Amino acid sequence: MQIERGKPTTIDLYVKGATDAEKACGAAAAFAFFDAHRVSPWDAARAYFIREEQEKAATLGHSLEMTPREREWADVFDRSEQVALDACCAGWASIPAGAHFVLNGDVPENYSGDPDA
């Protein structure tokens, strides 16, 4: 997935001992996962952080609403990192502790900011 604007979106994997090819495989798997769920990585990340804020608000007795689509996209973002790490570390005995990914690039012009748009 290539998003046209400024710096393209990338997913950088931080996995101790992984080769560049293994990391690229993991990033490709994550992009394919987002594509399969018909959501951009940026919209999924936005929904994930809305959910984080919703959970914080609930502990303070406040309510922050999420749409059903936001909840779905937050779940996709949750699972996308595991998809990436599983692909990166395929055939390994285990995924190293602390392994994670980071979404990078400019937020695209077509970033909806509104999951129901």
Side-chain angles (χ1 to χ4, degrees), residues 1 3 5-6 10 18 27 35 37 49-51 53 57 64 67-68 71 75 87 90-91 95 103 108:
M1 172 187 292
I3 298 173
R5 178 178 164 246
T10 62
D35 286 346
H37 286 86
F49 288 111
I50 289 172
R51 186 180 61 202
E53 290 303 312
L64 180 63
T67 67
R71 284 190 291 278
D75 291 342
I95 296 172
L103 185 61

Side-chain angles (χ1 to χ4, degrees), residues 27-98:
F31 278 121
F33 187 74
F34 288 120
D35 286 346
H37 286 86
R38 303 177 59 111
V39 61
S40 79
W42 290 108
D43 285 329
R46 178 186 168 276
Y48 173 85
F49 288 111
I50 289 172
R51 186 180 61 202
E52 292 287 309
E53 290 303 312
Q54 181 187 42
E55 291 169 1
K56 288 178 191 174
T59 65
L60 299 172
H62 301 290
S63 175
L64 180 63
E65 296 299 317
M66 286 184 75
T67 67
R69 187 176 286 169
E70 284 174 321
R71 284 190 291 278
E72 177 186 332
W73 289 355
D75 291 342
V76 168
F77 192 80
D78 265 343
R79 295 189 321 262
S80 66
E81 183 171 67
Q82 191 62 51
V83 166
L85 295 175
D86 286 346
C88 175
C89 301
W92 294 24
S94 64
I95 296 172

